[in-house]
Amino acid sequence: MDDAVPGTPPAAEDEPVHDPAAPAPLNVPRTPTGDAGVDAALDRLGDADHLATDGHLEVYEDVHRGLRDALTALDVRPGPPVPARHPTTTPQRDPSGRPV
């Protein structure tokens, strides 16, 4: 005997339920820059693909911190050496005529 009620749809257990808050990869391509620190920070963005939206902030702040550190490191690298003053045979004088 069939206990199903006529006109009742079968149970939807096999159909996946769409959850808009569930993690979904964005599949945004990331092109390598050639700078290991920057590339590592950009690769970290892929971690957000596997997190719910409430976990994205931590990833974004971490990436921002890494990119900021990479930019700051550019400012502390030594630049080219400052050229030495060319020696002259004539003593240099200031505008008042005194030797420098």
Side-chain angles (χ1 to χ4, degrees):
M1 181 166 168
D2 189 6
D3 292 338
V5 178
T8 304
E13 294 174 13
D14 297 335
E15 295 178 22
V17 176
H18 176 68
D19 180 5
L26 296 175
N27 298 319
V28 175
R30 290 179 291 279
T31 306
T33 65
D35 183 291
V38 171
D39 290 340
L42 294 177
D43 286 343
R44 173 90 165 96
L45 285 174
D47 293 346
D49 287 349
H50 309 289
L51 298 172
T53 53
D54 61 350
H56 289 189
L57 182 61
E58 180 181 344
V59 172
Y60 295 154
E61 287 178 343
D62 187 40
V63 170
H64 181 259
R65 188 173 24 261
L67 293 174
R68 186 182 59 228
D69 290 348
L71 286 172
T72 301
L74 293 175
D75 291 337
V76 296
R77 289 184 183 162
V82 177
R85 189 170 149 192
H86 183 66
T88 62
T89 55
T90 307
Q92 300 296 309
R93 301 192 179 273
D94 66 12
S96 67
R98 290 182 280 204
V100 180

